[in-house]
Structure formats: C-alpha cells, structure tokens
Amino acid sequence: MKRSERLVAMTNYLLDHPQVLVPLPYFTKEFDAAKSSISEDLDIVNDMFQKQGIGFLETVQGAAGGIKYIPKYSDKNSKAFIDHICNRIEDPDRLLPGGYLYMSDLLGDPETIRNIGKIFATAFAQKGVEYIVTVATKGIPLAYATAQIMNVPVIIVRRDPKVTEGSTVSINYVSGSSKKIQTMVLAKRSLPEGSNVCIIDDFMKAGGTINGMKSLLAEFNANVSGIGVLAEAEDEDEDRVVDDYISLIQIKDVDIKNRKIEVLKGNYFQN
C-alpha cells in the first residue's frame, strides 16, 4: 500500500473511532507496514488534525498503550459556525404565531447537527462523560451528534412510558414556561447506578425541563457533569432554575410587530 493510501485509510479509521485507544500493532498488521513508518504516518495525521482545528492524537505509553483520537473543535471553527447560526436565526421569516421561532430546518440539517455535536463534545471532553441524556423529541439529533463524537451511548427521557422499555422511574416537575405539572420517565435498565452523564437539549427558557431531568437522574444517583443547550431565551420575567450550563446562542429579543429577531452568541466562550 502506498503511503498516500495508508494515510487516507488511517485518517478515516481514526475519525470513525473517536476516543478509542488503538494499539500501534493494529495499524502495522492492517497495513503491512513497519512500526517506524506507521509512527511517521500518525505524526502527519496528528499535524493535519491540529491545523484543521478538529482535534489531535493522544499517545498512551506502555504495553497496553496506543493512539487515541481526541476530537477538539477549535475556537476559530466554533466562532465561525456560531456566527453563521446566529445570522440564520435572525431571518424574520422564522417568526411563527405567538412569538415562536421555526427551528426544524436547523435541527434536520446533518451538517449543522454535526458541527453542534463537535462543539458540545469539545466543551465536555474532559468531564469523563459516560452517557448523553436528552428529552424527547427535538433534542434527540443534538444528543446523538454529541454522543457520536464522544463515542458514548444516548439515553432518551420520555414524557410517557413505553411498553418496550419495561419498568420505569417517573417524576413530576414544573415546566418553566407554562408552570404546569408535567411528567417524565426513564427506563430502570437504561442507566447504571452512579453514571456520569451530560444533558443536551435544543432550547432552554426558565430551565424547568432540564431541572426535571436532573431530578429524575438523581433517582439513579447519576452525576450531571455538564449541560449543553443549543439556544437559550433571555426573559426578564422568568426566574431561571438552572445556572450551570453552556449555550451556543441566545435569543435576545423577538419583536413580532417589527418582525425583528435579535440573536447573540451564547455563553460558550465565557466558560
């Protein structure tokens, strides 16, 4: 195999297996190449990953060592992407009756979702996250995108129990926006006791839903090591019940009369 071919194959493998420790002998056997050649190839891949702002290769020494691809989206890439999202959301055509914003096109666009996942995965890379938790339904694409980069499972909290999930744990919580009592459930066998989790959601106003998820996860003695939301809404009339979180964008103001939406960067770069 030519070096150029080997570099493409190695790069593809590492991108498909983030956070996985790959023993060096795997590459020497797979590509029938000397250890010294593989080491040189990995140096080239590592250099390009860093120049592209998509991560780096971590070397683990010892008999059980190897190479691990650590995804890390650069600040430059993150800022450019968040600016792009802010501009898209400020389009007045997104205004819906009642002051709501149409967001389904963003949450259904694979490239947009992948980039959001990269940013969240970078933010929580050092948290030792074992599971990504979200609530049905709009947060699911974001959760899976983040989980794919972090190479961890996704757990979905639901509003109603499903027969196919067996026995469940349920809690009642107060919705931050409507102030109504609502219910959320999680299958008992879905989350091991004492797991380290990260909550990902699409939108947060007062934080009632996320606070409800935290209460539900407490029933599993889970440690919530991070909370990430795509968008947060600024509302002076709301008392936010969640304060330790990362947001990518902030909906500053929605002026229905003048059809104007003001969107700012979230607190991602403040953390």
Side-chain angles (χ1 to χ4, degrees):
M1 183 180 290
K2 296 179 181 179
R3 164 165 278 186
S4 58
E5 296 172 332
R6 197 166 62 232
L7 285 169
V8 171
M10 292 172 65
T11 300
N12 183 64
Y13 183 88
L14 292 165
L15 290 173
D16 281 347
H17 298 81
Q19 304 287 354
V20 174
L21 183 63
V22 185
L24 211 58
Y26 170 82
F27 288 125
T28 60
K29 181 179 180 180
E30 181 72 15
F31 303 118
D32 192 22
K35 184 177 179 181
S36 58
S37 297
I38 294 297
S39 295
E40 291 174 2
D41 292 346
L42 289 171
D43 287 340
I44 294 172
V45 173
N46 183 40
D47 185 53
M48 287 308 301
F49 278 177
Q50 295 188 55
K51 286 182 178 178
Q52 292 293 313
I54 61 172
F56 60 93
L57 298 185
E58 179 180 87
T59 302
V60 179
Q61 304 293 342
I67 292 293
K68 183 187 292 185
Y69 168 49
I70 308 296
K72 188 176 187 298
Y73 214 42
S74 69
D75 284 350
K76 178 182 178 181
N77 289 342
S78 299
K79 287 178 181 177
F81 173 74
I82 292 174
D83 282 338
H84 172 66
I85 292 297
C86 288
N87 290 334
R88 288 185 66 181
I89 294 178
E90 285 183 332
D91 183 353
D93 287 340
R94 292 190 176 276
L95 278 171
L96 299 172
Y100 294 99
L101 300 182
Y102 181 77
M103 301 278 283
S104 296
D105 61 328
L106 298 178
L107 297 175
D109 178 50
E111 183 178 359
T112 297
I113 293 299
R114 277 197 303 270
N115 286 328
I116 293 171
K118 291 174 184 177
I119 296 175
F120 280 144
T122 298
F124 304 119
Q126 305 302 319
K127 299 289 188 178
V129 174
E130 298 172 294
Y131 295 88
I132 300 295
V133 180
T134 191
V135 64
T137 57
K138 289 186 177 179
I140 293 177
L142 304 179
Y144 272 103
T146 306
Q148 193 277 326
I149 301 297
M150 301 185 78
N151 200 22
V152 297
V154 173
I155 293 175
I156 301 173
V157 175
R158 303 190 183 278
R159 310 289 184 179
D160 302 299
K162 301 292 182 182
V163 176
T164 54
E165 294 188 344
S167 58
T168 61
V169 176
S170 66
I171 60 117
N172 294 322
Y173 71 100
V174 180
S175 172
S177 55
S178 63
K179 302 298 183 182
K180 294 180 180 179
I181 302 295
Q182 300 193 41
T183 302
M184 57 175 61
V185 301
L186 185 60
K188 284 185 177 181
R189 65 182 67 188
S190 63
L191 184 65
E193 189 87 1
S195 297
N196 198 34
V197 306
C198 175
I199 295 174
I200 298 293
D201 207 0
D202 65 312
F203 184 79
M204 181 177 73
K205 193 173 184 182
T209 300
I210 289 178
N211 201 44
M213 279 194 280
K214 290 175 66 176
S215 298
L216 179 58
L217 291 167
E219 296 294 322
F220 293 81
N221 292 320
N223 172 51
V224 179
S225 60
I227 299 171
V229 295
L230 168 59
E232 62 171 314
E234 183 181 77
D235 193 334
E236 297 178 354
D237 297 329
E238 293 283 357
D239 293 324
R240 184 157 288 165
V241 294
V242 176
D243 53 17
D244 187 13
Y245 64 92
I246 286 176
S247 65
L248 303 192
I249 62 174
Q250 181 189 86
I251 310 298
K252 181 73 174 178
D253 183 55
V254 177
D255 187 341
I256 301 175
K257 181 178 180 181
N258 296 308
R259 295 187 59 78
K260 183 178 180 181
I261 307 166
E262 184 180 359
V263 183
L264 305 176
K265 291 187 182 71
N267 65 9
Y268 176 78
F269 295 105
Q270 302 170 16
N271 290 274

